[in-house]
Amino acid sequence: MKKFAIAIHGGAGTILRSQMSDDKEKQYKSALEEAVHNSYEILFHDGTALDAVEQAVVILEDCPLFNAGKGSVFTHEGRHEMDASIMDGLRKDGGAVSLLRNIKNPIKLARLVLERSEHVLLAGEGAEIFAKEQGIEFADPEYFYDELRHNQLLSALSSNKVILDHTEIDPKKFGTVGAVALDKNGNLAAATSTGGMTNKKWGRIGDTPILGAGTYANNESCAVSCTGSGEYFIRSVAAFNIHSLMIYARMNLSDACYKVIHEILPSIGGDGGLIAIDKHGNFCLDFNTEGMYRAFLSSHDQKIIGIYK
């Protein structure tokens, strides 16, 4: 049987064991376990990598612990603006959405942009018109409301800061979620979803919906999903850079990820992490912060559920 595998992340940043209660740690690990096992079952029963990464991200979007979907942070105006993208490594095609306010699962809409439109990226009102035409589930603003997230906004407003975080205390923890997978047919896929930054203004868009920056998949090399300070991942074309280093510099997956996360990103002031898997089933869960919510499960009995370094 050919190797298949799934990796997921729920954000990277200053995640310290000393600041995490036992109960909260259990909640995070349980959510990661659910997402990675459900997606693994899809691959085990001959499902596609695209189906697996979409399912993983849907589960994480439905969990208020993470800054995506239900757990999305508030903008400066007290709204939610969500982004997502998905990419198919076989066709080298993708779908992405940005500035969504009322879509329950942005990753589902990104998948429909990939499969039912001639475009790659739809944003704002137009994306939601497309969503209505496709029968995507909407949710009222109350669905996305979370007291912790709202308190974050109040804290950010009082300090006039934009916060890359899903706690009100620490401005260095990122809650973007993502998944990468290799299926039994040797196809790769990647998906990423986020609620962006607390107190963000002016329709700010990060790396998540930008193919090549926050998400990339190509059967010739690898699938990548990133999390962190999005402006730096855009400027370094982080996800595509992994592919390029593998194809043109002949690096292996681990070395390529290290180069981007520990050399290229820090050289311009960026921090965060990524998950990646190559066409052989090799994987990398790398980050230059104190921690990253992450999980990995493969057909060769490799399993990881991690939070801290």
Side-chain angles (χ1 to χ4, degrees), residues 11-16 19 152 161-176 198 227-230 232 268-273 287-293:
T14 305
I15 307 169
L16 301 173
Q19 297 177 2
Q152 279 185 309
K161 292 182 178 180
V162 175
I163 300 176
L164 290 146
D165 187 10
H166 49 201
T167 77
E168 75 276 19
I169 300 170
D170 189 345
K172 291 296 238 178
K173 185 168 70 175
F174 316 109
T176 297
T198 297
T227 172
S229 41
Y232 300 97
I268 58 173
D271 56 359
F287 48 98
N288 60 24
T289 54
E290 293 298 325
M292 182 171 73
Y293 299 106

PDB file of all heavy atoms in Angstrom, residues 11-16 19 152 161-176 198 227-230 232 268-273 287-293:
ATOM      1  N   GLY A  11      -2.042  27.142  14.472  1.00  0.00           N
ATOM      2  CA  GLY A  11      -1.401  28.408  14.769  1.00  0.00           C
ATOM      3  C   GLY A  11      -0.093  28.242  15.511  1.00  0.00           C
ATOM      4  O   GLY A  11       0.110  27.266  16.242  1.00  0.00           O
ATOM      5  N   ALA A  12       0.814  29.209  15.293  1.00  0.00           N
ATOM      6  CA  ALA A  12       2.121  29.208  15.956  1.00  0.00           C
ATOM      7  C   ALA A  12       2.306  30.522  16.694  1.00  0.00           C
ATOM      8  O   ALA A  12       1.688  31.523  16.373  1.00  0.00           O
ATOM      9  CB  ALA A  12       3.237  29.045  14.917  1.00  0.00           C
ATOM     10  N   GLY A  13       3.184  30.518  17.696  1.00  0.00           N
ATOM     11  CA  GLY A  13       3.451  31.751  18.426  1.00  0.00           C
ATOM     12  C   GLY A  13       4.040  31.480  19.794  1.00  0.00           C
ATOM     13  O   GLY A  13       4.601  30.411  20.054  1.00  0.00           O
ATOM     14  N   THR A  14       3.912  32.457  20.704  1.00  0.00           N
ATOM     15  CA  THR A  14       4.428  32.310  22.058  1.00  0.00           C
ATOM     16  C   THR A  14       3.444  31.479  22.863  1.00  0.00           C
ATOM     17  O   THR A  14       2.557  32.006  23.530  1.00  0.00           O
ATOM     18  CB  THR A  14       4.643  33.688  22.706  1.00  0.00           C
ATOM     19  OG1 THR A  14       5.490  34.460  21.870  1.00  0.00           O
ATOM     20  CG2 THR A  14       5.301  33.541  24.080  1.00  0.00           C
ATOM     21  N   ILE A  15       3.593  30.186  22.756  1.00  0.00           N
ATOM     22  CA  ILE A  15       2.702  29.240  23.430  1.00  0.00           C
ATOM     23  C   ILE A  15       3.533  28.517  24.483  1.00  0.00           C
ATOM     24  O   ILE A  15       4.311  27.622  24.163  1.00  0.00           O
ATOM     25  CB  ILE A  15       2.099  28.244  22.418  1.00  0.00           C
ATOM     26  CG1 ILE A  15       1.443  28.994  21.255  1.00  0.00           C
ATOM     27  CG2 ILE A  15       1.096  27.319  23.099  1.00  0.00           C
ATOM     28  CD1 ILE A  15       1.048  28.103  20.085  1.00  0.00           C
ATOM     29  N   LEU A  16       3.385  28.932  25.728  1.00  0.00           N
ATOM     30  CA  LEU A  16       4.221  28.426  26.800  1.00  0.00           C
ATOM     31  C   LEU A  16       3.441  27.499  27.722  1.00  0.00           C
ATOM     32  O   LEU A  16       2.312  27.798  28.104  1.00  0.00           O
ATOM     33  CB  LEU A  16       4.776  29.593  27.621  1.00  0.00           C
ATOM     34  CG  LEU A  16       5.616  30.615  26.847  1.00  0.00           C
ATOM     35  CD1 LEU A  16       5.956  31.797  27.742  1.00  0.00           C
ATOM     36  CD2 LEU A  16       6.880  29.967  26.311  1.00  0.00           C
ATOM     37  N   GLN A  19       1.956  28.991  30.813  1.00  0.00           N
ATOM     38  CA  GLN A  19       0.775  29.839  30.690  1.00  0.00           C
ATOM     39  C   GLN A  19      -0.469  29.062  30.264  1.00  0.00           C
ATOM     40  O   GLN A  19      -1.505  29.656  29.988  1.00  0.00           O
ATOM     41  CB  GLN A  19       1.053  30.967  29.694  1.00  0.00           C
ATOM     42  CG  GLN A  19       2.169  31.899  30.126  1.00  0.00           C
ATOM     43  CD  GLN A  19       2.474  32.972  29.097  1.00  0.00           C
ATOM     44  OE1 GLN A  19       1.836  33.052  28.059  1.00  0.00           O
ATOM     45  NE2 GLN A  19       3.450  33.808  29.404  1.00  0.00           N
ATOM     46  N   GLN A 152     -10.426  40.738  23.606  1.00  0.00           N
ATOM     47  CA  GLN A 152      -9.198  41.024  22.868  1.00  0.00           C
ATOM     48  C   GLN A 152      -9.334  42.331  22.103  1.00  0.00           C
ATOM     49  O   GLN A 152      -8.412  43.153  22.074  1.00  0.00           O
ATOM     50  CB  GLN A 152      -8.922  39.918  21.846  1.00  0.00           C
ATOM     51  CG  GLN A 152      -8.264  38.677  22.396  1.00  0.00           C
ATOM     52  CD  GLN A 152      -7.945  37.745  21.245  1.00  0.00           C
ATOM     53  OE1 GLN A 152      -8.810  37.442  20.427  1.00  0.00           O
ATOM     54  NE2 GLN A 152      -6.723  37.311  21.172  1.00  0.00           N
ATOM     55  N   LYS A 161      -3.493  48.966  19.074  1.00  0.00           N
ATOM     56  CA  LYS A 161      -2.594  47.998  18.468  1.00  0.00           C
ATOM     57  C   LYS A 161      -3.376  46.972  17.659  1.00  0.00           C
ATOM     58  O   LYS A 161      -4.521  46.666  17.971  1.00  0.00           O
ATOM     59  CB  LYS A 161      -1.774  47.267  19.534  1.00  0.00           C
ATOM     60  CG  LYS A 161      -0.758  48.140  20.251  1.00  0.00           C
ATOM     61  CD  LYS A 161       0.043  47.307  21.253  1.00  0.00           C
ATOM     62  CE  LYS A 161       1.093  48.165  21.953  1.00  0.00           C
ATOM     63  NZ  LYS A 161       1.877  47.376  22.943  1.00  0.00           N
ATOM     64  N   VAL A 162      -2.736  46.470  16.636  1.00  0.00           N
ATOM     65  CA  VAL A 162      -3.255  45.329  15.896  1.00  0.00           C
ATOM     66  C   VAL A 162      -2.605  44.087  16.489  1.00  0.00           C
ATOM     67  O   VAL A 162      -1.380  44.035  16.645  1.00  0.00           O
ATOM     68  CB  VAL A 162      -2.934  45.436  14.393  1.00  0.00           C
ATOM     69  CG1 VAL A 162      -3.386  44.177  13.659  1.00  0.00           C
ATOM     70  CG2 VAL A 162      -3.608  46.665  13.797  1.00  0.00           C
ATOM     71  N   ILE A 163      -3.415  43.093  16.850  1.00  0.00           N
ATOM     72  CA  ILE A 163      -2.898  41.944  17.587  1.00  0.00           C
ATOM     73  C   ILE A 163      -3.024  40.665  16.775  1.00  0.00           C
ATOM     74  O   ILE A 163      -4.106  40.280  16.359  1.00  0.00           O
ATOM     75  CB  ILE A 163      -3.632  41.778  18.935  1.00  0.00           C
ATOM     76  CG1 ILE A 163      -3.428  43.034  19.797  1.00  0.00           C
ATOM     77  CG2 ILE A 163      -3.138  40.551  19.686  1.00  0.00           C
ATOM     78  CD1 ILE A 163      -4.187  43.001  21.107  1.00  0.00           C
ATOM     79  N   LEU A 164      -1.906  40.006  16.573  1.00  0.00           N
ATOM     80  CA  LEU A 164      -1.863  38.700  15.926  1.00  0.00           C
ATOM     81  C   LEU A 164      -1.981  37.642  17.014  1.00  0.00           C
ATOM     82  O   LEU A 164      -0.984  37.083  17.466  1.00  0.00           O
ATOM     83  CB  LEU A 164      -0.545  38.521  15.191  1.00  0.00           C
ATOM     84  CG  LEU A 164      -0.325  39.356  13.935  1.00  0.00           C
ATOM     85  CD1 LEU A 164       1.132  39.744  13.795  1.00  0.00           C
ATOM     86  CD2 LEU A 164      -0.769  38.546  12.726  1.00  0.00           C
ATOM     87  N   ASP A 165      -3.209  37.358  17.456  1.00  0.00           N
ATOM     88  CA  ASP A 165      -3.305  36.607  18.697  1.00  0.00           C
ATOM     89  C   ASP A 165      -4.720  36.120  18.930  1.00  0.00           C
ATOM     90  O   ASP A 165      -5.659  36.702  18.432  1.00  0.00           O
ATOM     91  CB  ASP A 165      -2.890  37.561  19.828  1.00  0.00           C
ATOM     92  CG  ASP A 165      -2.775  36.861  21.165  1.00  0.00           C
ATOM     93  OD1 ASP A 165      -2.824  35.638  21.210  1.00  0.00           O
ATOM     94  OD2 ASP A 165      -2.642  37.565  22.156  1.00  0.00           O
ATOM     95  N   HIS A 166      -4.862  35.039  19.717  1.00  0.00           N
ATOM     96  CA  HIS A 166      -6.169  34.747  20.242  1.00  0.00           C
ATOM     97  C   HIS A 166      -6.182  34.656  21.766  1.00  0.00           C
ATOM     98  O   HIS A 166      -6.904  33.889  22.350  1.00  0.00           O
ATOM     99  CB  HIS A 166      -6.832  33.529  19.587  1.00  0.00           C
ATOM    100  CG  HIS A 166      -5.977  32.312  19.504  1.00  0.00           C
ATOM    101  ND1 HIS A 166      -6.247  31.321  18.618  1.00  0.00           N
ATOM    102  CD2 HIS A 166      -4.882  31.916  20.163  1.00  0.00           C
ATOM    103  CE1 HIS A 166      -5.368  30.352  18.729  1.00  0.00           C
ATOM    104  NE2 HIS A 166      -4.540  30.692  19.667  1.00  0.00           N
ATOM    105  N   THR A 167      -5.337  35.460  22.395  1.00  0.00           N
ATOM    106  CA  THR A 167      -5.550  35.807  23.801  1.00  0.00           C
ATOM    107  C   THR A 167      -5.360  37.308  23.923  1.00  0.00           C
ATOM    108  O   THR A 167      -4.702  37.925  23.087  1.00  0.00           O
ATOM    109  CB  THR A 167      -4.560  35.116  24.766  1.00  0.00           C
ATOM    110  OG1 THR A 167      -3.306  35.792  24.692  1.00  0.00           O
ATOM    111  CG2 THR A 167      -4.366  33.658  24.434  1.00  0.00           C
ATOM    112  N   GLU A 168      -5.903  37.898  24.977  1.00  0.00           N
ATOM    113  CA  GLU A 168      -5.774  39.336  25.146  1.00  0.00           C
ATOM    114  C   GLU A 168      -4.445  39.720  25.776  1.00  0.00           C
ATOM    115  O   GLU A 168      -4.105  40.886  25.884  1.00  0.00           O
ATOM    116  CB  GLU A 168      -6.916  39.885  26.017  1.00  0.00           C
ATOM    117  CG  GLU A 168      -6.798  39.595  27.496  1.00  0.00           C
ATOM    118  CD  GLU A 168      -7.338  38.228  27.854  1.00  0.00           C
ATOM    119  OE1 GLU A 168      -7.466  37.380  26.952  1.00  0.00           O
ATOM    120  OE2 GLU A 168      -7.634  37.993  29.037  1.00  0.00           O
ATOM    121  N   ILE A 169      -3.658  38.718  26.174  1.00  0.00           N
ATOM    122  CA  ILE A 169      -2.436  38.986  26.919  1.00  0.00           C
ATOM    123  C   ILE A 169      -1.230  39.053  25.997  1.00  0.00           C
ATOM    124  O   ILE A 169      -0.425  39.964  26.071  1.00  0.00           O
ATOM    125  CB  ILE A 169      -2.209  37.884  27.986  1.00  0.00           C
ATOM    126  CG1 ILE A 169      -3.398  37.858  28.947  1.00  0.00           C
ATOM    127  CG2 ILE A 169      -0.911  38.117  28.730  1.00  0.00           C
ATOM    128  CD1 ILE A 169      -3.395  36.662  29.869  1.00  0.00           C
ATOM    129  N   ASP A 170      -1.113  38.088  25.137  1.00  0.00           N
ATOM    130  CA  ASP A 170       0.126  37.887  24.408  1.00  0.00           C
ATOM    131  C   ASP A 170      -0.051  38.197  22.927  1.00  0.00           C
ATOM    132  O   ASP A 170      -0.777  37.515  22.229  1.00  0.00           O
ATOM    133  CB  ASP A 170       0.558  36.421  24.576  1.00  0.00           C
ATOM    134  CG  ASP A 170       1.942  36.166  24.036  1.00  0.00           C
ATOM    135  OD1 ASP A 170       2.448  37.007  23.299  1.00  0.00           O
ATOM    136  OD2 ASP A 170       2.492  35.114  24.369  1.00  0.00           O
ATOM    137  N   PRO A 171       0.641  39.209  22.401  1.00  0.00           N
ATOM    138  CA  PRO A 171       0.473  39.578  21.004  1.00  0.00           C
ATOM    139  C   PRO A 171       1.313  38.742  20.059  1.00  0.00           C
ATOM    140  O   PRO A 171       1.576  39.140  18.945  1.00  0.00           O
ATOM    141  CB  PRO A 171       0.940  41.035  20.983  1.00  0.00           C
ATOM    142  CG  PRO A 171       1.989  41.088  22.028  1.00  0.00           C
ATOM    143  CD  PRO A 171       1.528  40.146  23.105  1.00  0.00           C
ATOM    144  N   LYS A 172       1.762  37.574  20.472  1.00  0.00           N
ATOM    145  CA  LYS A 172       2.639  36.791  19.620  1.00  0.00           C
ATOM    146  C   LYS A 172       2.143  35.364  19.431  1.00  0.00           C
ATOM    147  O   LYS A 172       2.934  34.439  19.307  1.00  0.00           O
ATOM    148  CB  LYS A 172       4.047  36.767  20.219  1.00  0.00           C
ATOM    149  CG  LYS A 172       4.732  38.111  20.167  1.00  0.00           C
ATOM    150  CD  LYS A 172       4.968  38.565  18.766  1.00  0.00           C
ATOM    151  CE  LYS A 172       6.428  38.806  18.521  1.00  0.00           C
ATOM    152  NZ  LYS A 172       6.677  39.193  17.143  1.00  0.00           N
ATOM    153  N   LYS A 173       0.845  35.181  19.405  1.00  0.00           N
ATOM    154  CA  LYS A 173       0.325  33.832  19.140  1.00  0.00           C
ATOM    155  C   LYS A 173      -0.675  33.908  17.997  1.00  0.00           C
ATOM    156  O   LYS A 173      -1.603  34.683  18.029  1.00  0.00           O
ATOM    157  CB  LYS A 173      -0.328  33.236  20.393  1.00  0.00           C
ATOM    158  CG  LYS A 173      -0.775  31.807  20.181  1.00  0.00           C
ATOM    159  CD  LYS A 173      -1.150  31.125  21.476  1.00  0.00           C
ATOM    160  CE  LYS A 173      -2.412  31.671  22.069  1.00  0.00           C
ATOM    161  NZ  LYS A 173      -2.841  30.931  23.265  1.00  0.00           N
ATOM    162  N   PHE A 174      -0.475  33.085  16.994  1.00  0.00           N
ATOM    163  CA  PHE A 174      -1.261  33.183  15.776  1.00  0.00           C
ATOM    164  C   PHE A 174      -2.216  32.002  15.661  1.00  0.00           C
ATOM    165  O   PHE A 174      -1.836  30.869  15.891  1.00  0.00           O
ATOM    166  CB  PHE A 174      -0.338  33.230  14.562  1.00  0.00           C
ATOM    167  CG  PHE A 174       0.824  34.144  14.755  1.00  0.00           C
ATOM    168  CD1 PHE A 174       2.095  33.642  14.910  1.00  0.00           C
ATOM    169  CD2 PHE A 174       0.634  35.502  14.836  1.00  0.00           C
ATOM    170  CE1 PHE A 174       3.174  34.484  15.110  1.00  0.00           C
ATOM    171  CE2 PHE A 174       1.706  36.353  15.038  1.00  0.00           C
ATOM    172  CZ  PHE A 174       2.983  35.836  15.176  1.00  0.00           C
ATOM    173  N   GLY A 175      -3.466  32.242  15.301  1.00  0.00           N
ATOM    174  CA  GLY A 175      -4.470  31.196  15.354  1.00  0.00           C
ATOM    175  C   GLY A 175      -4.923  30.646  14.029  1.00  0.00           C
ATOM    176  O   GLY A 175      -5.900  29.913  13.978  1.00  0.00           O
ATOM    177  N   THR A 176      -4.262  31.026  12.941  1.00  0.00           N
ATOM    178  CA  THR A 176      -4.604  30.465  11.639  1.00  0.00           C
ATOM    179  C   THR A 176      -4.583  28.936  11.698  1.00  0.00           C
ATOM    180  O   THR A 176      -3.771  28.349  12.408  1.00  0.00           O
ATOM    181  CB  THR A 176      -3.584  30.957  10.594  1.00  0.00           C
ATOM    182  OG1 THR A 176      -3.685  32.374  10.480  1.00  0.00           O
ATOM    183  CG2 THR A 176      -3.833  30.326   9.235  1.00  0.00           C
ATOM    184  N   THR A 198      -6.780  40.694  15.183  1.00  0.00           N
ATOM    185  CA  THR A 198      -7.641  41.511  16.037  1.00  0.00           C
ATOM    186  C   THR A 198      -7.358  42.997  15.797  1.00  0.00           C
ATOM    187  O   THR A 198      -6.199  43.413  15.780  1.00  0.00           O
ATOM    188  CB  THR A 198      -7.390  41.185  17.522  1.00  0.00           C
ATOM    189  OG1 THR A 198      -7.752  39.827  17.764  1.00  0.00           O
ATOM    190  CG2 THR A 198      -8.215  42.080  18.429  1.00  0.00           C
ATOM    191  N   THR A 227       1.421  29.643   8.934  1.00  0.00           N
ATOM    192  CA  THR A 227       0.759  30.396   9.992  1.00  0.00           C
ATOM    193  C   THR A 227       1.763  31.362  10.610  1.00  0.00           C
ATOM    194  O   THR A 227       2.902  30.995  10.874  1.00  0.00           O
ATOM    195  CB  THR A 227       0.200  29.471  11.091  1.00  0.00           C
ATOM    196  OG1 THR A 227      -0.264  30.269  12.182  1.00  0.00           O
ATOM    197  CG2 THR A 227       1.235  28.482  11.603  1.00  0.00           C
ATOM    198  N   GLY A 228       1.328  32.595  10.811  1.00  0.00           N
ATOM    199  CA  GLY A 228       2.237  33.564  11.405  1.00  0.00           C
ATOM    200  C   GLY A 228       1.923  34.979  10.999  1.00  0.00           C
ATOM    201  O   GLY A 228       0.785  35.312  10.666  1.00  0.00           O
ATOM    202  N   SER A 229       2.920  35.821  11.015  1.00  0.00           N
ATOM    203  CA  SER A 229       2.758  37.226  10.639  1.00  0.00           C
ATOM    204  C   SER A 229       2.663  37.303   9.119  1.00  0.00           C
ATOM    205  O   SER A 229       3.664  37.289   8.413  1.00  0.00           O
ATOM    206  CB  SER A 229       3.925  38.054  11.182  1.00  0.00           C
ATOM    207  OG  SER A 229       5.164  37.374  11.038  1.00  0.00           O
ATOM    208  N   GLY A 230       1.426  37.401   8.619  1.00  0.00           N
ATOM    209  CA  GLY A 230       1.147  37.202   7.202  1.00  0.00           C
ATOM    210  C   GLY A 230       1.887  38.097   6.248  1.00  0.00           C
ATOM    211  O   GLY A 230       2.267  37.676   5.143  1.00  0.00           O
ATOM    212  N   TYR A 232       4.871  39.068   6.287  1.00  0.00           N
ATOM    213  CA  TYR A 232       6.202  38.540   6.017  1.00  0.00           C
ATOM    214  C   TYR A 232       6.148  37.287   5.156  1.00  0.00           C
ATOM    215  O   TYR A 232       7.034  37.047   4.320  1.00  0.00           O
ATOM    216  CB  TYR A 232       6.927  38.265   7.335  1.00  0.00           C
ATOM    217  CG  TYR A 232       7.091  39.507   8.175  1.00  0.00           C
ATOM    218  CD1 TYR A 232       6.196  39.788   9.200  1.00  0.00           C
ATOM    219  CD2 TYR A 232       8.114  40.410   7.917  1.00  0.00           C
ATOM    220  CE1 TYR A 232       6.333  40.940   9.959  1.00  0.00           C
ATOM    221  CE2 TYR A 232       8.259  41.565   8.675  1.00  0.00           C
ATOM    222  CZ  TYR A 232       7.356  41.830   9.689  1.00  0.00           C
ATOM    223  OH  TYR A 232       7.490  42.968  10.432  1.00  0.00           O
ATOM    224  N   ILE A 268      13.811  39.207   7.518  1.00  0.00           N
ATOM    225  CA  ILE A 268      12.983  40.394   7.272  1.00  0.00           C
ATOM    226  C   ILE A 268      12.063  40.682   8.456  1.00  0.00           C
ATOM    227  O   ILE A 268      11.138  41.486   8.361  1.00  0.00           O
ATOM    228  CB  ILE A 268      12.166  40.264   5.973  1.00  0.00           C
ATOM    229  CG1 ILE A 268      11.262  39.021   5.998  1.00  0.00           C
ATOM    230  CG2 ILE A 268      13.082  40.234   4.760  1.00  0.00           C
ATOM    231  CD1 ILE A 268      10.296  38.940   4.812  1.00  0.00           C
ATOM    232  N   GLY A 269      12.302  40.004   9.579  1.00  0.00           N
ATOM    233  CA  GLY A 269      11.549  40.272  10.805  1.00  0.00           C
ATOM    234  C   GLY A 269      10.326  39.413  11.018  1.00  0.00           C
ATOM    235  O   GLY A 269       9.521  39.686  11.910  1.00  0.00           O
ATOM    236  N   GLY A 270      10.164  38.357  10.227  1.00  0.00           N
ATOM    237  CA  GLY A 270       8.964  37.525  10.307  1.00  0.00           C
ATOM    238  C   GLY A 270       9.096  36.357  11.261  1.00  0.00           C
ATOM    239  O   GLY A 270      10.192  35.826  11.464  1.00  0.00           O
ATOM    240  N   ASP A 271       7.965  35.965  11.856  1.00  0.00           N
ATOM    241  CA  ASP A 271       7.952  34.764  12.671  1.00  0.00           C
ATOM    242  C   ASP A 271       6.659  33.991  12.444  1.00  0.00           C
ATOM    243  O   ASP A 271       5.683  34.515  11.921  1.00  0.00           O
ATOM    244  CB  ASP A 271       8.170  35.060  14.162  1.00  0.00           C
ATOM    245  CG  ASP A 271       7.165  36.046  14.733  1.00  0.00           C
ATOM    246  OD1 ASP A 271       6.301  36.530  13.984  1.00  0.00           O
ATOM    247  OD2 ASP A 271       7.252  36.342  15.937  1.00  0.00           O
ATOM    248  N   GLY A 272       6.690  32.724  12.824  1.00  0.00           N
ATOM    249  CA  GLY A 272       5.549  31.839  12.617  1.00  0.00           C
ATOM    250  C   GLY A 272       6.015  30.430  12.343  1.00  0.00           C
ATOM    251  O   GLY A 272       7.082  30.010  12.789  1.00  0.00           O
ATOM    252  N   GLY A 273       5.202  29.692  11.585  1.00  0.00           N
ATOM    253  CA  GLY A 273       5.533  28.309  11.307  1.00  0.00           C
ATOM    254  C   GLY A 273       4.808  27.797  10.093  1.00  0.00           C
ATOM    255  O   GLY A 273       4.065  28.536   9.429  1.00  0.00           O
ATOM    256  N   PHE A 287       8.692  25.661  13.047  1.00  0.00           N
ATOM    257  CA  PHE A 287       8.293  26.983  13.490  1.00  0.00           C
ATOM    258  C   PHE A 287       9.454  27.655  14.211  1.00  0.00           C
ATOM    259  O   PHE A 287      10.339  26.974  14.750  1.00  0.00           O
ATOM    260  CB  PHE A 287       7.069  26.908  14.418  1.00  0.00           C
ATOM    261  CG  PHE A 287       7.170  25.892  15.526  1.00  0.00           C
ATOM    262  CD1 PHE A 287       7.548  26.264  16.805  1.00  0.00           C
ATOM    263  CD2 PHE A 287       6.880  24.548  15.282  1.00  0.00           C
ATOM    264  CE1 PHE A 287       7.634  25.326  17.827  1.00  0.00           C
ATOM    265  CE2 PHE A 287       6.961  23.607  16.303  1.00  0.00           C
ATOM    266  CZ  PHE A 287       7.340  23.995  17.587  1.00  0.00           C
ATOM    267  N   ASN A 288       9.480  28.983  14.205  1.00  0.00           N
ATOM    268  CA  ASN A 288      10.560  29.718  14.863  1.00  0.00           C
ATOM    269  C   ASN A 288      10.045  30.474  16.091  1.00  0.00           C
ATOM    270  O   ASN A 288      10.676  31.418  16.553  1.00  0.00           O
ATOM    271  CB  ASN A 288      11.263  30.674  13.890  1.00  0.00           C
ATOM    272  CG  ASN A 288      10.318  31.722  13.310  1.00  0.00           C
ATOM    273  OD1 ASN A 288       9.297  32.053  13.904  1.00  0.00           O
ATOM    274  ND2 ASN A 288      10.674  32.258  12.153  1.00  0.00           N
ATOM    275  N   THR A 289       8.890  30.042  16.599  1.00  0.00           N
ATOM    276  CA  THR A 289       8.273  30.628  17.782  1.00  0.00           C
ATOM    277  C   THR A 289       8.366  29.635  18.940  1.00  0.00           C
ATOM    278  O   THR A 289       8.989  28.577  18.809  1.00  0.00           O
ATOM    279  CB  THR A 289       6.808  30.970  17.488  1.00  0.00           C
ATOM    280  OG1 THR A 289       6.153  29.787  16.993  1.00  0.00           O
ATOM    281  CG2 THR A 289       6.696  32.067  16.429  1.00  0.00           C
ATOM    282  N   GLU A 290       7.713  29.964  20.063  1.00  0.00           N
ATOM    283  CA  GLU A 290       7.781  29.081  21.223  1.00  0.00           C
ATOM    284  C   GLU A 290       6.943  27.825  21.076  1.00  0.00           C
ATOM    285  O   GLU A 290       7.143  26.848  21.795  1.00  0.00           O
ATOM    286  CB  GLU A 290       7.354  29.838  22.481  1.00  0.00           C
ATOM    287  CG  GLU A 290       8.314  30.950  22.898  1.00  0.00           C
ATOM    288  CD  GLU A 290       9.694  30.420  23.235  1.00  0.00           C
ATOM    289  OE1 GLU A 290       9.787  29.310  23.788  1.00  0.00           O
ATOM    290  OE2 GLU A 290      10.674  31.117  22.937  1.00  0.00           O
ATOM    291  N   GLY A 291       5.991  27.839  20.173  1.00  0.00           N
ATOM    292  CA  GLY A 291       5.159  26.661  20.000  1.00  0.00           C
ATOM    293  C   GLY A 291       4.297  26.753  18.758  1.00  0.00           C
ATOM    294  O   GLY A 291       4.224  27.803  18.096  1.00  0.00           O
ATOM    295  N   MET A 292       3.661  25.644  18.408  1.00  0.00           N
ATOM    296  CA  MET A 292       2.706  25.586  17.308  1.00  0.00           C
ATOM    297  C   MET A 292       1.763  24.420  17.570  1.00  0.00           C
ATOM    298  O   MET A 292       2.209  23.303  17.826  1.00  0.00           O
ATOM    299  CB  MET A 292       3.404  25.405  15.951  1.00  0.00           C
ATOM    300  CG  MET A 292       2.438  25.379  14.762  1.00  0.00           C
ATOM    301  SD  MET A 292       3.278  25.438  13.139  1.00  0.00           S
ATOM    302  CE  MET A 292       3.955  23.763  13.054  1.00  0.00           C
ATOM    303  N   TYR A 293       0.470  24.685  17.545  1.00  0.00           N
ATOM    304  CA  TYR A 293      -0.514  23.611  17.653  1.00  0.00           C
ATOM    305  C   TYR A 293      -0.406  22.765  16.390  1.00  0.00           C
ATOM    306  O   TYR A 293      -0.571  23.280  15.279  1.00  0.00           O
ATOM    307  CB  TYR A 293      -1.918  24.191  17.793  1.00  0.00           C
ATOM    308  CG  TYR A 293      -2.090  25.046  19.024  1.00  0.00           C
ATOM    309  CD1 TYR A 293      -2.158  26.425  18.934  1.00  0.00           C
ATOM    310  CD2 TYR A 293      -2.183  24.461  20.282  1.00  0.00           C
ATOM    311  CE1 TYR A 293      -2.309  27.212  20.068  1.00  0.00           C
ATOM    312  CE2 TYR A 293      -2.335  25.230  21.426  1.00  0.00           C
ATOM    313  CZ  TYR A 293      -2.403  26.611  21.309  1.00  0.00           C
ATOM    314  OH  TYR A 293      -2.551  27.389  22.442  1.00  0.00           O
TER     315      TYR A 293
END
